[in-house]
């Protein structure tokens, strides 16, 4: 290892210099995410973080190290968070830097807890490696589930474009994250045995991924058309542009093809009318399909009583709704306002929409199509909310409006997480995005057809067959969480006995 990573050199640096190194190491880790896609940076950052952790002389100091590392990691990973505030710059632009700062600082608290807990239980050495990897993975699980959860930019996602990511089919995203953290922290011991073990583990993950990818994926006889109108967010609800975006989607639906699609998918909030209130337009959309027996999926708003829903409708030939799905996992501060009474008192509730939540995940069965689980935008980032057991679908269908996320990192990171759901569940996923990236994803997470970000048009793709349920699809996160707790307890006992 470079001399600058040695414990003696780090010990000689000031506390603020070490915290600066922690911020830099966290940011370097984030380089594995889009748009950088350089996961190898984490293999340099993780050993440094481990050494900084070992040099912490108290749990409090370790927690500060973890917090600074988290701030660096999330500040770079979540730069797209400012984009929604820039759509209406005059009204909301001033909020953009505060949103990023607060998100990075808040999410960094989870890393602070992980680093601090590991330091309470263990010192350095082998036990420290296991303790820190397990505590960090449990902290990321907590981040994914506490309150409404926010499992964006999990450490395992750093390796989405490599065979290593296939390990998620066995261990899920948190097991994958624990494995890559363990490899990186082992390098921080800077001795032959742990470094050799890290290389062997890493090579084993890579080889297992290659082995899994060797199996062919058969195709169904279902052809899907993914429609992408490329409606810029600042124009999407402009009265002069609404007819143009509707025309683009009708034209894409009616475009000729060698094989007429069995299903046409429009993106989230694709129609300007309230679902069910314009049967004439729904009939027009269905009639545009070149296959008279095709169904058309559209995203739109729905009203029931006094409640508004962000919904998906499956239109049957003729325009009637063969199935409806209401988004159940809403975006906090985007689609609904937590602690609304407080924000009403502050006069800030007018900045946020107010959708009602649907009843939960749903398996949709429509005549002539394989059964699917619909996901609207943000719902695709939650691995623990995929249907399992008897309710397991044959494929996943995501509609989204990634125009909110800008054109740099957000849409690509969102696509990467959709690919993770396919790998974890062993299910193909069809994705229609307003501005892109629309894609067909096979059950190994590979993109088989796509339409690039910022392009108008459509793409036709044959739906792949699902794989048998993966280990993760059968078990979920519970075995991995229990295993991490066991590792943490064993490392703590071993460390106490050593002392």
């Amino acid at each position: 290892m470079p001399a600058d990573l040695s414990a003696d050199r780090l010990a000689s640096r000031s506390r603020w210099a070490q915290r600066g190194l922690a911020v830099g190491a966290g940011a370097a880790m984030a380089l594995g995410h889009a748009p950088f896609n350089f996961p190898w940076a984490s293999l340099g950052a993780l050993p440094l973080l481990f050494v900084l952790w070992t040099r912490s002389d108290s749990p409090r100091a370790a927690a500060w190290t973890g917090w600074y590392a988290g701030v660096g990691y999330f500040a770079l990973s979540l730069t797209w968070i400012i984009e929604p505030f820039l759509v209406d710059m005059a009204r909301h632009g001033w909020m953009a830097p505060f949103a990023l700062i607060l998100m990075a600082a808040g999410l960094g608290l989870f890393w602070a807890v992980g680093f601090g807990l590991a330091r309470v239980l263990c010192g350095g050495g082998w036990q420290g490696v296991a303790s820190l990897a397990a505590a960090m993975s449990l902290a990321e699980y907590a981040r994914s589930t506490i309150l409404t959860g926010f499992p964006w930019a999990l450490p395992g996602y750093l390796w989405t474009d490599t065979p290593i990511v296939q390990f998620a089919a066995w261990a899920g995203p948190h097991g994958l994250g624990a494995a890559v953290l363990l490899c990186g922290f082992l390098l921080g011991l800077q001795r032959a045995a742990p470094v050799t073990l890290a290389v062997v583990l890493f090579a084993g993950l890579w080889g297992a991924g290659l082995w899994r990818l060797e199996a062919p994926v058969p195709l169904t006889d279902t052809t899907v058309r993914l429609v992408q109108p490329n409606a810029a967010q600042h124009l999407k609800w402009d009265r002069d542009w609404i007819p143009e975006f509707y025309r683009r989607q009708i034209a894409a639906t009616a475009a000729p093809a060698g094989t007429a699609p069995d299903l046409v998918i429009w993106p989230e909030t694709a129609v300007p009318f309230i679902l069910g209130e314009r049967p004439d337009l729904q009939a027009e959309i269905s009639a545009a399909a070149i296959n008279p027996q095709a169904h058309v999926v559209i995203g739109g708003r729905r009203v029931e009583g006094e409640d508004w829903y962000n919904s998906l409708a499956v239109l049957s030939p003729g325009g009637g709704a063969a199935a409806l799905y209401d988004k159940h996992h809403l975006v906090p501060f985007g689609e609904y306002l937590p602690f609304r009474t407080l924000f009403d008192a502050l006069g800030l509730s007018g900045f946020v929409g107010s959708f009602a939540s649907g009843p939960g995940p749903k398996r949709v069965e429509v005549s002539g199509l394989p059964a699917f689980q619909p996901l609207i935008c943000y719902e695709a980032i939650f691995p623990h909310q995929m249907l399992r057991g008897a309710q397991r679908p044959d494929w996943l269908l995501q509609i989204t409006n990634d125009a909110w996320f800008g054109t740099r990192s957000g849409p690509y990171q969102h696509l990467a997480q959709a690919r993770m759901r396919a790998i974890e569940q062993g299910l193909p996923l069809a994705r229609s995005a307003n501005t892109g990236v629309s894609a067909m994803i096979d059950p190994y997470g590979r993109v088989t057809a796509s339409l690039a970000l910022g392009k108008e048009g459509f793409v036709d793709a044959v739906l792949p067959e699902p794989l048998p349920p993966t280990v993760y699809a059968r078990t979920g996160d519970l075995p991995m969480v229990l295993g991490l707790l066991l590792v943490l307890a064993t490392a703590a006992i071993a460390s106490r006995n050593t002392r």
Side-chain angles (χ1 to χ4, degrees), residues 327-339:
K327 184 177 184 181
H328 74 277
H329 202 135
L330 304 175
V331 181
F333 303 102
E335 294 175 311
Y336 80 101
L337 191 63
F339 318 112

Side-chain angles (χ1 to χ4, degrees), residues 200-255:
V200 170
L201 289 174
F202 191 84
L205 292 171
W206 195 284
L210 290 175
W211 171 79
R212 187 169 189 266
L213 290 170
E214 286 182 354
V217 180
L219 301 176
T220 68
D221 57 1
T222 301
T223 299
V224 178
R225 173 167 292 183
L226 306 171
V227 173
Q228 186 169 297
N230 194 33
Q233 191 58 42
H234 69 287
L235 299 174
K236 183 173 173 60
W237 302 111
D238 187 303
R239 292 189 177 185
D240 294 331
W241 279 91
I242 285 175
E244 168 61 16
F245 297 138
Y246 179 75
R247 181 202 64 77
R248 290 181 185 181
Q249 293 173 113
I250 289 289
T253 303

